[in-house]
Amino acid sequence: MAQKPSIPKGTRDFSPVEVAKRNYIINTIREQFQVFGFHPIETPSFENSETLMGKYGEEGDRLIFKILNSGDYLRKIDDNLYSSKDSNKLTSKISEKALRYDLTVPFARYVVQHQNEIDFPFKRSQIQPVWRADRPQKGRFREFYQCDADVVGSKSLWQEVDFIQLYDKVFTKLNLQGVTIKINNRKVLSGIAEVIGASDKLIDFTVALDKLDKIGEDGVKKEMLEKGIPESSIEKVKPLFNFTGTSSEKIDQLKNLLASSEIGMQGVEELQFIVNSVNEMPLETASLDLDVTLARGLNYYTGAIFEVAAPDTVKMGSIGGGGRYDDLTAIFGLKDVSGVGISFGLDRIYLVLEELGLFPETVVPSTKALFINFGEKEALYCLKAVNKLRSEGVVAELYPDNAKMKKQMGYANKRGVRYVVLAGTSEVDNQVFTVKNMHSGEQEEMNFEKLRGILI
Amino acid sequence: MAQKPSIPKGTRDFSPVEVAKRNYIINTIREQFQVFGFHPIETPSFENSETLMGKYGEEGDRLIFKILNSGDYLRKIDDNLYSSKDSNKLTSKISEKALRYDLTVPFARYVVQHQNEIDFPFKRSQIQPVWRADRPQKGRFREFYQCDADVVGSKSLWQEVDFIQLYDKVFTKLNLQGVTIKINNRKVLSGIAEVIGASDKLIDFTVALDKLDKIGEDGVKKEMLEKGIPESSIEKVKPLFNFTGTSSEKIDQLKNLLASSEIGMQGVEELQFIVNSVNEMPLETASLDLDVTLARGLNYYTGAIFEVAAPDTVKMGSIGGGGRYDDLTAIFGLKDVSGVGISFGLDRIYLVLEELGLFPETVVPSTKALFINFGEKEALYCLKAVNKLRSEGVVAELYPDNAKMKKQMGYANKRGVRYVVLAGTSEVDNQVFTVKNMHSGEQEEMNFEKLRGILI
């Protein structure tokens, strides 16, 4: 009967301390989402399979968790199909629902389904778990939270500016200084592809270019040649090998480089608007960096691309990302609705704050006063005080059992209780409490009003 | 390609207004959980199937959502078993994980798995969604939140007293007056079974007794006789037909009635302790009522049983419930750990507050100031002000597009914006803003400091 309990691989239990720390991050993000005018929505944990399937590529389809139909799900299956014993074919017959894989596709579905109730531009935030049947590894889980903010229904670049300010505000509030917000533009990448004359080589090109720091200019050129990018093309984009300076300086270089590409120049102009606007309203703690190697979600984004890097002192992948997608809702039949959004990587932000010791000490709420239980009459006397204190928001508790003093004090110690309150027969008779300060070890007798005074 | 978007039956999208109202309830519950010294934990959305299966009876097993294994899940299935085409037999072979059905079994699993890290008594709270493949109907969903608080590791009845206070505090904070906290005790029910000489008729007995208000004493007796409860037994528990008065008076009646039943008298004593203690610390807005017909979770609870009824003015089932279970963790191999806990029914509380108009007007955060977009230069001027205001926590926005005035004002109206701020060329030149109070319609020109003053 008894089982050795465990949880599925890639999932986690969160202890009270972990929940408190996670909520600290989530609440900080949520608060800034609100201040920036984003409205929270929530969508169901599972969607109809056809809503999700085919939206994330073949690999994505494979990683989506499918939910088995209820009841006698085999009854109506065609015998021929069944006897082929083909997992892929059977899946769509025995499973109609699937756990959400991200928050973006459900959001697109939401916008289309509720388009008549929504005022556009619609600024929505969403903080919910998602599930992926990925191979679990350090920092990668099968259940994890996404924290997203998106706007749909406007192409205004002021929104890109706003998102950069939002990143800066959240990380400033989290006291995480030295974050880099990298920015690029899909159109600039298209421009580069035009200039090197090989759209299909664009990813090879950016991947190689990204290694400049590590393998030097010669190494990068060698890799590009190996990938089949002709020397003449590499020559054309040579300025990218010395692509340094401020974002404004980089933009001037791009202008020369992409002069012949209409789409490229459009991307440069967009970058320029964003960079200039952010320069007019300096960021508090983050820095903005134009990074032409940034190509995340290449198939997906159509304009701005964002990625946030943790401070250099911490080894960690990106802690946030996002971008603009010009036709998000078209998959559900609503065309020409432009969207732009960003995401915060909760798990990685957690690891960064932990490593840098940035969680405030007060983040884990502890019991302010534990009342020792000396028996029925004394306990009632104490519980009356406890209730009055709780009404004023003080975290106070009565130890439930009349256990040995050592055990009760041990409980107080382990839970980091600030004050232990003792009331035996004589305290009850005199309507007072003996209060022990667990930090200083000092002990003092006082009436309820004084006790209340030190606890509030 | 385009699909008409929809969500699975029994699930819900929550709009920003709904999210705000739900969070208002959840945050109120969470805050009181904290003040009462409960520590939040979170467990994974899915558990290993063997953790859940067999814990909720046959009906429960059927209603648990199972997750299909990933990859080629049919490959290793025995051909004989497969060819039988038996859904029940196949399920355990193609599904190893299942969505959690409640928070209690995962909590029991958590306690056993982490017993060496936990200080007992362990007071935990947990607010997370659960999933049931139930037939959806009004107020019953396939995905819904549970809000639980439990203590394990102590048999002290002070905890029952605490939970009653906790119910009272939460509903008081929600401004929901007139709630009734019904209390009963499993041992009293066992005692009644002893006295009527028919343990197997106990449920029939309590169900019939519960109809006293509607069908009168004669009707109840008739139903009992029909269910096979002998007249002599009914005679013995006659006092229950006139079971009125205060809880203390009811306890006196039970003492006479159950005098011959040891277990019954034990239950009466427990009730007496709880009722007396609560009388010593009067509830703020709720009332406590001893209800011997209360028998929820009969197979489960071993001591106190709680259920909370909404005010009489609202037709609604229970909005909360709980009780004591003496051996919660035994299913996972940890014996003799007594637990007691309560749950809040979020969806029903929501419906009650909605019906009674008890959601505060301020529960839905709206934008305090919308800045009208008159073009690039003006927009930048405004966004600088917006950013300063946001830094101080003011919800402020710039309309992203230089759209027609009518459209921008319409957006402000629909979103319930309090102040619309206009800054055209002349305002920019004079470093001022024209501010329109959307409530009074009044319009005034002012500098940033004054604007800040009215918005903070």
Side-chain angles (χ1 to χ4, degrees):
Chain A
M1 182 64 194
Q3 303 158 338
K4 193 185 164 224
S6 65
I7 52 177
K9 63 178 176 179
T11 68
R12 294 165 286 173
D13 281 330
F14 295 109
S15 71
V17 171
E18 289 163 334
V19 169
K21 289 179 173 175
R22 286 165 62 86
N23 283 345
Y24 164 71
I25 300 171
I26 289 174
N27 290 338
T28 303
I29 295 171
R30 182 174 286 151
E31 198 178 292
Q32 291 307 313
F33 281 176
Q34 187 185 319
V35 165
F36 275 71
F38 291 90
H39 289 189
I41 68 162
E42 290 182 11
T43 62
S45 296
F46 47 74
E47 296 270 351
N48 292 320
S49 295
E50 66 256 35
T51 300
L52 304 184
M53 299 298 283
K55 308 300 189 298
Y56 307 100
E58 254 179 63
E59 169 77 352
D61 280 358
R62 231 173 30 77
L63 299 184
I64 290 172
F65 279 112
K66 287 103 188 166
I67 293 172
L68 197 57
N69 291 346
S70 301
D72 186 4
Y73 54 86
L74 291 178
R75 198 167 53 91
K76 287 185 177 169
I77 306 287
D78 175 80
D79 277 334
N80 271 337
L81 184 143
Y82 187 73
S83 60
S84 72
K85 209 178 170 182
D86 181 325
S87 298
N88 273 335
K89 283 186 191 155
L90 193 63
T91 299
S92 64
K93 305 290 175 188
I94 65 174
S95 162
E96 287 165 1
K97 293 182 285 289
L99 291 175
R100 81 180 150 238
Y101 181 85
D102 73 358
L103 301 178
T104 306
V105 169
F107 172 51
R109 194 266 310 143
Y110 180 98
V111 169
V112 177
Q113 192 174 331
H114 301 279
Q115 55 186 288
N116 296 326
E117 308 145 34
I118 291 174
D119 308 315
F120 293 94
F122 180 46
K123 298 171 74 169
R124 91 84 172 77
S125 63
Q126 192 169 355
I127 301 179
Q128 290 192 283
V130 302
W131 296 268
R132 295 182 185 181
D134 238 330
R135 182 188 295 271
Q137 50 179 256
K138 191 173 179 293
R140 189 197 284 169
F141 304 98
R142 293 189 149 186
E143 172 174 46
F144 59 98
Y145 266 70
Q146 290 194 334
C147 311
D148 285 15
D150 293 78
V151 195
V152 286
S154 164
K155 293 187 176 177
S156 164
L157 294 172
W158 289 115
Q159 298 171 133
E160 274 83 341
V161 176
D162 242 11
F163 279 120
I164 292 166
Q165 297 283 351
L166 175 56
Y167 267 138
D168 179 52
K169 283 283 188 302
V170 167
F171 290 116
T172 300
K173 290 278 177 190
L174 290 174
N175 212 12
L176 180 61
Q177 301 182 357
V179 144
T180 303
I181 303 167
K182 299 183 203 169
I183 183 171
N184 196 11
N185 192 298
R186 177 69 174 90
K187 292 167 189 164
V188 166
L189 290 172
S190 297
I192 293 175
E194 266 186 34
V195 170
I196 64 173
S199 304
D200 58 324
K201 295 285 190 306
L202 182 58
I203 291 190
D204 291 332
F205 180 85
T206 51
V207 165
L209 190 60
D210 193 31
K211 296 179 185 163
L212 194 61
D213 276 358
K214 290 178 203 144
I215 59 177
E217 188 170 334
D218 288 342
V220 171
K221 278 186 187 164
K222 187 162 164 269
E223 183 171 324
M224 287 180 177
L225 288 168
E226 279 167 13
K227 294 284 181 183
I229 301 169
E231 184 131 23
S232 58
S233 298
I234 298 174
E235 198 55 32
K236 280 186 200 151
V237 290
K238 213 181 159 190
L240 294 178
F241 292 96
N242 288 297
F243 202 60
T244 53
T246 66
S247 293
S248 299
E249 286 163 1
K250 286 179 182 174
I251 284 170
D252 287 339
Q253 290 180 267
L254 283 178
K255 274 185 184 166
N256 289 323
L257 185 70
L258 300 177
S260 65
S261 162
E262 192 184 332
I263 183 115
M265 287 307 280
Q266 211 178 313
V268 174
E269 270 165 38
E270 291 184 8
L271 282 174
Q272 184 158 34
F273 179 87
I274 295 164
V275 167
N276 286 351
S277 300
V278 172
N279 283 343
E280 289 276 344
M281 292 169 286
L283 302 178
E284 280 189 67
T285 61
S287 55
L288 184 66
D289 182 38
L290 200 169
D291 179 354
V292 288
T293 66
L294 186 62
R296 50 180 289 144
L298 197 58
N299 304 319
Y300 191 67
Y301 295 123
T302 53
I305 304 172
F306 301 115
E307 191 168 279
V308 182
D312 293 337
T313 47
V314 189
K315 278 199 175 176
M316 184 68 62
S318 70
I319 56 175
R324 180 175 286 275
Y325 31 86
D326 265 344
D327 222 1
L328 175 69
T329 57
I331 41 171
F332 299 112
L334 184 65
K335 291 193 179 155
D336 297 324
V337 177
S338 186
V340 55
I342 61 170
S343 190
F344 288 83
L346 174 61
D347 288 305
R348 287 189 176 169
I349 295 171
Y350 186 105
L351 291 173
V352 170
L353 296 191
E354 194 75 285
E355 188 170 332
L356 297 177
L358 292 177
F359 284 111
E361 269 189 41
T362 54
V363 85
V364 181
S366 62
T367 297
K368 197 85 172 270
L370 180 78
F371 287 67
I372 298 297
N373 189 327
F374 284 112
E376 203 171 310
K377 188 180 148 208
E378 295 84 355
L380 179 62
Y381 173 76
C382 287
L383 200 54
K384 285 181 182 176
V386 165
N387 274 317
K388 279 188 214 156
L389 292 166
R390 284 174 176 166
S391 290
E392 304 198 67
V394 176
V395 182
E397 286 181 89
L398 165 72
Y399 191 87
D401 299 289
N402 176 10
K404 283 188 181 146
M405 190 63 181
K406 195 182 161 190
K407 189 173 180 188
Q408 299 192 47
M409 292 302 286
Y411 178 85
N413 269 320
K414 280 185 194 151
R415 285 175 64 116
V417 168
R418 188 76 169 81
Y419 295 96
V420 166
V421 183
L422 306 103
T425 321
S426 94
E427 279 91 351
V428 176
D429 287 346
N430 298 320
Q431 295 286 301
V432 292
F433 300 89
T434 298
V435 180
K436 180 171 184 176
N437 181 326
M438 297 294 276
H439 286 195
S440 67
E442 277 165 31
Q443 205 162 298
E444 191 188 338
E445 197 180 277
M446 58 185 75
N447 64 14
F448 178 77
E449 275 317 304
K450 181 156 183 202
L451 174 62
R452 179 184 166 280
I454 63 169
L455 292 177
I456 279 182
Chain B
M1 181 64 191
Q3 304 158 340
K4 192 182 165 224
S6 65
I7 52 176
K9 63 177 176 180
T11 68
R12 295 165 285 174
D13 281 329
F14 295 109
S15 70
V17 171
E18 289 163 333
V19 169
K21 288 179 174 176
R22 286 165 62 85
N23 283 344
Y24 164 69
I25 300 172
I26 289 174
N27 290 337
T28 303
I29 295 172
R30 183 175 285 152
E31 197 178 293
Q32 291 306 313
F33 280 176
Q34 188 186 319
V35 165
F36 275 70
F38 292 90
H39 288 191
I41 68 162
E42 291 182 10
T43 63
S45 295
F46 47 73
E47 296 270 350
N48 292 319
S49 295
E50 65 255 36
T51 300
L52 305 183
M53 299 298 283
K55 307 302 188 298
Y56 308 99
E58 253 181 62
E59 170 77 353
D61 280 357
R62 229 173 32 75
L63 299 183
I64 290 172
F65 279 113
K66 286 103 189 166
I67 294 172
L68 197 57
N69 291 346
S70 301
D72 186 4
Y73 54 86
L74 292 178
R75 198 167 54 91
K76 288 185 177 169
I77 306 286
D78 175 81
D79 278 333
N80 272 337
L81 185 144
Y82 187 72
S83 60
S84 72
K85 209 179 171 184
D86 180 325
S87 298
N88 274 333
K89 282 186 191 155
L90 192 63
T91 299
S92 65
K93 305 290 176 189
I94 64 174
S95 161
E96 286 164 3
K97 292 182 285 290
L99 291 175
R100 81 181 148 235
Y101 180 85
D102 73 358
L103 301 179
T104 306
V105 168
F107 171 51
R109 193 266 311 145
Y110 180 97
V111 169
V112 177
Q113 192 174 329
H114 301 279
Q115 54 186 290
N116 297 326
E117 308 146 34
I118 291 173
D119 307 315
F120 293 95
F122 180 46
K123 298 172 74 170
R124 91 85 171 76
S125 63
Q126 192 169 354
I127 300 178
Q128 290 192 283
V130 302
W131 296 268
R132 296 182 185 179
D134 237 330
R135 181 189 294 272
Q137 51 179 256
K138 191 172 181 293
R140 189 198 283 168
F141 304 98
R142 291 188 153 186
E143 173 174 46
F144 58 97
Y145 265 70
Q146 290 195 333
C147 311
D148 285 15
D150 293 78
V151 194
V152 286
S154 164
K155 294 188 174 176
S156 163
L157 294 172
W158 290 114
Q159 299 172 135
E160 274 83 342
V161 176
D162 243 11
F163 279 120
I164 292 166
Q165 298 282 351
L166 175 55
Y167 268 137
D168 179 52
K169 283 283 188 305
V170 166
F171 291 115
T172 300
K173 290 278 176 190
L174 290 173
N175 212 13
L176 179 61
Q177 300 183 356
V179 144
T180 303
I181 304 167
K182 298 184 204 168
I183 182 172
N184 196 10
N185 192 296
R186 177 69 174 91
K187 292 167 189 164
V188 166
L189 290 172
S190 297
I192 293 174
E194 266 187 32
V195 170
I196 65 173
S199 304
D200 58 324
K201 296 284 191 304
L202 183 58
I203 291 189
D204 291 333
F205 179 85
T206 52
V207 166
L209 189 60
D210 193 32
K211 297 179 184 163
L212 196 62
D213 275 356
K214 290 178 203 143
I215 59 177
E217 187 170 335
D218 288 344
V220 170
K221 278 186 186 164
K222 188 162 163 268
E223 183 171 324
M224 288 182 176
L225 288 168
E226 279 167 12
K227 293 284 181 182
I229 300 168
E231 183 132 27
S232 60
S233 297
I234 299 173
E235 197 56 31
K236 280 185 199 152
V237 291
K238 213 181 158 188
L240 294 178
F241 293 96
N242 287 296
F243 201 59
T244 53
T246 65
S247 293
S248 299
E249 287 162 359
K250 286 180 181 173
I251 284 170
D252 288 338
Q253 290 179 269
L254 283 179
K255 275 186 185 167
N256 290 323
L257 186 69
L258 301 177
S260 66
S261 164
E262 193 184 332
I263 184 116
M265 287 306 281
Q266 212 178 313
V268 174
E269 269 165 40
E270 290 185 6
L271 281 174
Q272 184 157 34
F273 179 87
I274 295 165
V275 167
N276 286 352
S277 300
V278 172
N279 283 343
E280 290 275 345
M281 292 169 286
L283 303 177
E284 280 189 67
T285 61
S287 54
L288 184 66
D289 183 37
L290 200 169
D291 179 355
V292 288
T293 66
L294 186 62
R296 51 181 287 146
L298 197 58
N299 305 319
Y300 190 69
Y301 295 125
T302 53
I305 304 171
F306 301 115
E307 191 169 280
V308 183
D312 293 337
T313 47
V314 189
K315 277 198 177 178
M316 184 68 63
S318 69
I319 56 175
R324 180 175 286 275
Y325 31 86
D326 266 343
D327 222 359
L328 175 68
T329 57
I331 42 172
F332 298 112
L334 184 64
K335 289 190 180 159
D336 297 324
V337 177
S338 187
V340 55
I342 61 171
S343 190
F344 289 83
L346 174 62
D347 288 303
R348 287 189 176 169
I349 295 171
Y350 186 105
L351 292 172
V352 170
L353 297 191
E354 194 74 286
E355 187 169 334
L356 297 177
L358 292 177
F359 283 111
E361 270 189 39
T362 53
V363 84
V364 181
S366 63
T367 297
K368 197 85 172 271
L370 181 79
F371 287 67
I372 298 296
N373 189 327
F374 284 111
E376 204 173 308
K377 188 180 147 207
E378 295 84 354
L380 179 62
Y381 173 76
C382 287
L383 199 54
K384 285 181 182 176
V386 165
N387 273 318
K388 278 188 214 157
L389 292 166
R390 283 174 176 167
S391 291
E392 305 198 67
V394 175
V395 183
E397 287 180 88
L398 163 73
Y399 192 86
D401 299 290
N402 178 10
K404 284 187 180 146
M405 190 64 180
K406 196 181 161 190
K407 189 173 180 189
Q408 298 192 47
M409 291 302 284
Y411 178 86
N413 270 320
K414 280 185 196 150
R415 285 174 67 115
V417 168
R418 188 77 170 79
Y419 295 96
V420 165
V421 183
L422 306 102
T425 320
S426 94
E427 279 92 350
V428 176
D429 288 346
N430 299 318
Q431 294 285 301
V432 293
F433 301 88
T434 298
V435 180
K436 180 170 184 178
N437 181 327
M438 297 294 277
H439 285 194
S440 67
E442 276 166 29
Q443 205 163 297
E444 191 188 337
E445 196 179 278
M446 58 185 76
N447 64 14
F448 178 77
E449 275 316 305
K450 182 157 183 201
L451 173 62
R452 179 184 166 279
I454 64 169
L455 292 177
I456 278 181

